[in-house]
Amino acid sequence: MAKEMTLVSVGIDVGTTTTQLVISQLTLVNVMPGSQVPKVEITHKSISYMGKVHFTPFEDRRHVDGTALREIVAKEYEKAGVKPEQIDTGAIIITGETAKKENASEIIHSLADYAGDFVVATAGPDLESMIAGKGSGAEALSKRLHACIANIDIGGGTTNIAYFDRGKCIGTACINVGGRLFEVDPISHRLTYVSSPAQKIINYCNPNNNLVSNGNDLVLIKNCLKSMVECVERVIFQETLLPQDNCLVMTNLLPDVKIDGVVFSGGVAKYIYLPGIKEWWIHGDVGPLLAEAFQESRINKSLPVHEGAETIHATVLGAGAHTVNVSGSTITVSEHTLPVRNVPAVYPELDMRGKFSWLKAAGNYTDSLYRTVALIVPPLPNTDFQTILSLAETLAYELPLIKGEPKVIIAQQDIAKVLGQTLQRLLPASPLVCLDGIELAFGDFLDIAKPLPYQDAVPVIVKTLIFAR
Amino acid sequence: MSLEDSVRLIVEELLKGMEKGKIQSSNNKLPLANSSIMDECEITDLAEIDLQRYLQVPNPVNKELYEEMKLSTPARIGVWRSGPRPLTDTLLRFRADHAVAQDSVLGVVPEEFPAKYNMVSIQTLCKSKDEYLTRPDLGRKLDDENLQILAKGCLKEAMVQIIVSDGLSSKAVEANIPNLLPALTQGLEGMGVRLGTPIFVRNGRVAVMDTIGEELKPEVAVILIGERPGLGTAESMSAYMGYNPRLGMVESERTVISNIHKGGTPAAEAGAHLASLIKKILDAKASGVNLE
């Protein structure tokens, strides 16, 4: 029996401006002393390959170039010396403005299939915010300082905010403020492209269009960026939003709490931590100017600013190293049932006799999109055998009425093994996956990988957010 | 002054104060100190306070962090003080928990308990708790009379022989067996394992499984035995498993799972885990370090 094993995990971030890939090694170890029931946890994460930062390829303004994207990934794999079949897990995340492109979803799913057996495609501004905060080190920092830290990830298209209170993500927001919403010509320093959210801000800052006609692009850009950063300020300081903010704020689920500090990440963050660049046009966009606006902001001036472990690589590191959970090792998994993908988490209702019932909630997921559903067992008043037996009897009655196989059950207490064995006795013919030790919430989706050879642990990726609903 | 004397003194003073109805304690939520009338019915059991949620430091600077630290360990941290001494309730609770641990060692599993779980009940050579504590060697042996009970009442050459013993904690048996045994039995039977007649051993040590192994010749024996209690819990149980249990087997041949109790691995889940572990031992025909 090996004492530890490693998983190879890939993270691919397809952002508004750049695309990057990292490969990391996750070390899994039994953290319990030898004489106790084993518990497998991810104890160490290390980067084994950090890919080059590429520009995200586009066919035109509305389409991502899928072929070019796949080539980038193939080349990076080659340089890293790995083959797709050697990748155990990971995530591809499509972020910022790129996620709005017409063919985004299709491209990202086909890329996930190519990238490895168990690489998931994810999108969604909330998840992106959280992943960036984990990758930047803000999560770890909040845990270490026992404080509430805001991670502000400023990319090409969006600014993603996530609050971490003592290691736990308590809220996110996504605002259409980014360094590449305006593009400029590096020679003439004139505007060459204005994205739709930026245009709305131009209309607000410069209603008469007189600045553009004067050729005074820099003043116009600076005014717009100031106005955009003020919007971020209002979100963070929980102030009333102004009419012009509405076109920028995409999601805002930040709780009204006092934050103890901020960490900046994303491509623009580099220029916040290292200010004073003269050639602001160097990237053909306004990233350095946006950094300047953030430097002048109340966020930078009134809150303690911490330096994270990563800036531009935060999201890709988060996607590669921080998306996987492990459930093990007191679990029950029938042979040849895994992996399963996109399994919705289904919460029970309490019926009149105080018993759980999943039938109604599971009825919402009957279309062919879902192979099966995961029934969540909320914490029970006690974990006595009788309690578990009566729970298992309820499940044994309801499971055959719920479509899909294998039957997936996720317990929120340490009972997956005994519950699983009881169900195997009651429903001997049903393939079963019974897990515990995974934090979930209403509306979450799960991907469950093949069991690891060591200690029967199972990697699980939870795909939406706990507090988002 | 010995510890006992000082406790007595403190309690007397406390009671005196209560009668006068003058004890005031603003930050102390302990009901003992708050009740002005001496009414025994209103005194809450000290042992019922959840120590990990009981904040004794008055006006903590960072209450959330304090709570977090308390919840992170069952150790008695952040208990505040009175001068250089612990607070009365801290000391009393310490003594109460110590008493629970002692009771658990010296306590007896009820007479009717084995029959309730269809166990054949036997006793080692130790005739009393005192002898049990002072003579570990006798706790591993059985006399002819008890061997006869085994020979008559138990299936021989089963695949798995389950043994339950009080060991150093009778409370562990009473608290865990009702949930552990059905889970273990269900798990093993589900895997097609033929079980022997379960046995209850009074005043038993782990190695009594060797003596039983010689008599009944099971493939694997598992003994569920009360652990030496501590101040954290008196209800912790261990399971020792041996392939081909026999006299002279060495300790390294035993596989062990410890810390089975409410705050550790819950009994029912532990039973299910033991079932798969025993199946592994049966398949590998080895236990202890030979299994690794």
Side-chain angles (χ1 to χ4, degrees):
Chain A
M1 207 185 294
K3 287 289 173 229
E4 62 172 55
M5 65 168 294
T6 52
L7 284 182
V8 180
S9 173
V10 66
I12 303 172
D13 173 19
V14 183
T16 310
T17 322
T18 59
T19 291
Q20 203 191 1
L21 175 152
V22 293
I23 291 167
S24 37
Q25 309 263 354
L26 311 178
T27 307
L28 299 176
V29 176
N30 172 18
V31 293
M32 297 304 272
S35 74
Q36 294 190 24
V37 174
K39 186 176 178 208
V40 177
E41 277 181 13
I42 297 170
T43 55
H44 188 69
K45 299 163 181 171
S46 64
I47 310 297
S48 54
Y49 176 77
M50 173 78 78
K52 216 179 98 196
V53 180
H54 302 263
F55 278 107
T56 301
F58 294 102
E59 279 172 6
D60 51 53
R61 291 273 175 210
R62 293 213 307 274
H63 294 90
V64 184
D65 185 344
T67 323
L69 203 54
R70 181 183 283 221
E71 254 168 49
I72 291 176
V73 173
K75 273 198 188 131
E76 289 289 352
Y77 273 9
E78 200 178 300
K79 273 201 246 167
V82 297
K83 295 191 175 73
E85 54 270 25
Q86 290 171 303
I87 304 283
D88 295 305
T89 178
I92 296 182
I93 182 160
I94 183 160
T95 61
E97 287 286 285
T98 309
K100 295 182 190 166
K101 305 296 176 206
E102 281 169 18
N103 61 346
S105 158
E106 169 200 333
I107 292 229
I108 232 64
H109 280 95
S110 87
L111 194 58
D113 286 340
Y114 166 76
D117 198 23
F118 192 63
V119 174
V120 300
T122 54
D126 302 321
L127 187 62
E128 182 190 353
S129 304
M130 186 171 80
I131 284 178
K134 288 180 171 190
S136 77
E139 181 198 39
L141 188 73
S142 77
K143 207 171 182 173
R144 203 176 73 228
L145 299 179
H146 293 276
C148 184
I149 302 287
N151 190 76
I152 304 177
D153 189 88
I154 311 155
T158 55
T159 292
N160 288 80
I161 307 167
Y163 282 6
F164 292 91
D165 187 20
R166 285 168 291 169
K168 205 173 156 114
C169 188
I170 57 166
T172 59
C174 179
I175 305 166
N176 233 185
V177 172
R180 215 173 174 79
L181 294 179
F182 299 91
E183 286 172 32
V184 293
D185 180 55
I187 313 290
S188 69
H189 312 164
R190 295 292 310 256
L191 280 170
T192 54
Y193 167 70
V194 176
S195 69
S196 117
Q199 187 59 53
K200 285 178 189 151
I201 292 300
I202 290 186
N203 296 345
Y204 162 76
C205 291
N206 181 31
N208 306 325
N209 230 11
N210 52 357
L211 285 168
V212 177
S213 50
N214 295 344
N216 210 342
D217 288 5
L218 185 58
V219 176
L220 174 69
I221 293 168
K222 281 190 169 178
N223 284 346
C224 288
L225 293 178
K226 185 162 179 283
S227 163
M228 286 175 153
V229 171
E230 279 166 2
C231 170
V232 178
E233 281 177 351
R234 283 188 281 275
V235 168
I236 286 191
F237 293 107
Q238 299 280 339
E239 290 160 1
T240 318
L241 295 184
L242 303 180
Q244 70 268 25
D245 297 341
N246 291 332
C247 63
L248 296 181
V249 179
M250 294 163 69
T251 63
N252 182 6
L253 300 157
L254 294 177
D256 191 357
V257 294
K258 189 190 147 288
I259 50 178
D260 304 302
V262 291
V263 170
F264 290 106
S265 65
V268 173
K270 178 179 158 195
Y271 295 106
I272 299 179
Y273 289 116
L274 291 170
I277 180 166
K278 294 218 173 55
E279 301 87 5
W280 61 267
W281 53 84
I282 186 165
H283 302 297
D285 60 24
V286 298
L289 293 180
L290 181 61
E292 218 167 81
F294 266 102
Q295 268 207 312
E296 295 299 315
S297 72
R298 280 186 284 151
I299 301 163
N300 193 42
K301 293 195 163 150
S302 71
L303 292 169
V305 176
H306 302 273
E307 208 157 322
E310 276 299 336
T311 52
I312 190 166
H313 307 307
T315 306
V316 70
L317 280 181
H322 296 276
T323 49
V324 185
N325 290 302
V326 176
S327 174
S329 70
T330 53
I331 56 174
T332 314
V333 178
S334 309
E335 276 176 28
H336 312 301
T337 49
L338 295 174
V340 289
R341 290 171 195 242
N342 275 329
V343 183
V346 171
Y347 275 74
E349 298 173 326
L350 270 181
D351 72 5
M352 260 111 73
R353 290 159 300 149
K355 277 192 168 173
F356 291 129
S357 173
W358 289 264
L359 284 179
K360 206 170 149 200
N364 297 334
Y365 300 98
T366 47
D367 57 54
S368 60
L369 218 61
Y370 308 106
R371 197 175 125 201
T372 186
V373 294
L375 306 188
I376 309 300
V377 178
L380 306 169
N382 63 60
T383 54
D384 290 351
F385 187 73
Q386 270 310 321
T387 313
I388 289 162
L389 188 60
S390 92
L391 169 73
E393 279 164 357
T394 312
L395 280 166
Y397 169 73
E398 293 200 345
L399 278 173
L401 305 174
I402 295 168
K403 184 184 88 77
E405 279 187 350
K407 306 295 182 192
V408 181
I409 292 145
I410 315 266
Q412 300 194 319
Q413 279 159 310
D414 187 9
I415 55 168
K417 193 109 186 175
V418 62
L419 181 60
Q421 285 182 359
T422 313
L423 281 169
Q424 279 177 332
R425 177 168 62 80
L426 298 173
L427 297 172
S430 294
L432 185 75
V433 175
C434 194
L435 310 177
D436 58 26
I438 297 161
E439 241 179 88
L440 277 174
F442 181 75
D444 281 350
F445 284 79
L446 301 164
D447 283 18
I448 309 170
K450 276 188 217 155
L452 303 170
Y454 164 60
Q455 298 282 23
D456 309 327
V458 175
V460 176
I461 298 186
V462 180
K463 290 199 294 190
T464 43
L465 278 192
I466 289 156
F467 46 82
R469 279 142 243 264
Chain B
M1 203 191 287
S2 77
L3 186 64
E4 210 160 320
D5 288 336
S6 59
V7 173
R8 194 168 297 132
L9 208 72
I10 292 164
V11 174
E12 273 168 15
E13 264 171 34
L14 190 69
L15 293 179
K16 245 186 261 164
M18 277 180 169
E19 278 159 15
K20 287 177 197 159
K22 278 180 186 165
I23 291 269
Q24 287 294 320
S25 158
S26 53
N27 291 309
N28 195 331
K29 286 195 203 104
L30 191 67
L32 199 77
N34 283 339
S35 58
S36 52
I37 305 160
M38 185 62 194
D39 180 354
E40 280 192 21
C41 304
E42 284 185 16
I43 298 176
T44 310
D45 186 356
L46 260 181
E48 275 175 15
I49 299 169
D50 180 354
L51 284 185
Q52 281 181 261
R53 293 180 188 279
Y54 182 36
L55 306 182
Q56 287 162 283
V57 176
N59 308 318
V61 174
N62 187 342
K63 185 163 172 247
E64 274 156 25
L65 184 56
Y66 177 30
E67 271 172 346
E68 204 178 304
M69 286 162 76
K70 289 282 282 186
L71 284 175
S72 71
T73 171
R76 283 154 219 250
I77 59 167
V79 294
W80 199 233
R81 66 198 168 79
S82 171
R85 296 165 299 163
L87 294 177
T88 308
D89 61 336
T90 306
L91 193 65
L92 287 177
R93 175 62 188 267
F94 187 86
R95 302 265 302 163
D97 285 347
H98 194 229
V100 170
Q102 281 178 322
D103 281 357
S104 196
V105 174
L106 298 174
V108 178
V109 174
E111 202 66 48
E112 66 281 6
F113 189 87
K116 210 167 138 191
Y117 296 94
N118 300 319
M119 293 190 275
V120 169
S121 180
I122 57 169
Q123 179 169 349
T124 63
L125 293 186
C126 305
K127 300 299 171 209
S128 69
K129 278 288 168 192
D130 274 347
E131 194 173 24
Y132 174 74
L133 292 173
T134 50
R135 292 290 305 273
D137 57 328
L138 298 185
R140 300 175 189 131
K141 290 177 187 151
L142 299 170
D143 62 14
D144 285 344
E145 191 189 325
N146 281 287
L147 286 172
Q148 276 300 311
I149 299 176
L150 289 185
K152 277 189 198 148
C154 297
L155 280 173
K156 282 197 176 179
E157 291 169 15
M159 286 166 84
V160 174
Q161 175 65 53
I162 297 175
I163 306 163
V164 176
S165 181
D166 46 5
L168 283 163
S169 172
S170 55
K171 283 212 170 80
V173 171
E174 289 177 66
N176 295 308
I177 291 301
N179 295 312
L180 198 159
L181 204 57
L184 175 60
T185 310
Q186 165 186 283
L188 287 171
E189 283 176 350
M191 297 172 202
V193 171
R194 199 164 30 81
L195 292 172
T197 319
I199 300 168
F200 177 75
V201 185
R202 218 169 272 281
N203 294 338
R205 297 273 172 185
V206 172
V208 77
M209 77 156 68
D210 308 354
T211 315
I212 294 171
E214 288 290 336
E215 183 65 32
L216 298 177
K217 307 278 179 210
E219 259 187 86
V220 173
V222 50
I223 183 163
L224 307 163
I225 190 163
E227 288 174 7
R228 179 179 59 82
L231 287 164
T233 175
E235 294 181 351
S236 191
M237 174 167 257
S238 283
Y240 289 83
M241 288 145 276
Y243 184 77
N244 182 20
R246 66 209 177 275
L247 289 175
M249 79 185 284
V250 285
E251 293 307 314
S252 60
E253 283 179 73
R254 296 188 223 278
T255 298
V256 62
I257 292 292
S258 66
N259 279 59
I260 301 167
H261 60 94
K262 275 202 197 88
T265 305
E269 184 74 350
H273 176 67
L274 287 174
S276 1
L277 192 55
I278 291 169
K279 183 70 173 45
K280 247 186 223 170
I281 292 173
L282 281 168
D283 291 345
K285 297 191 183 303
S287 57
V289 293
N290 300 333
L291 184 68
E292 302 276 320

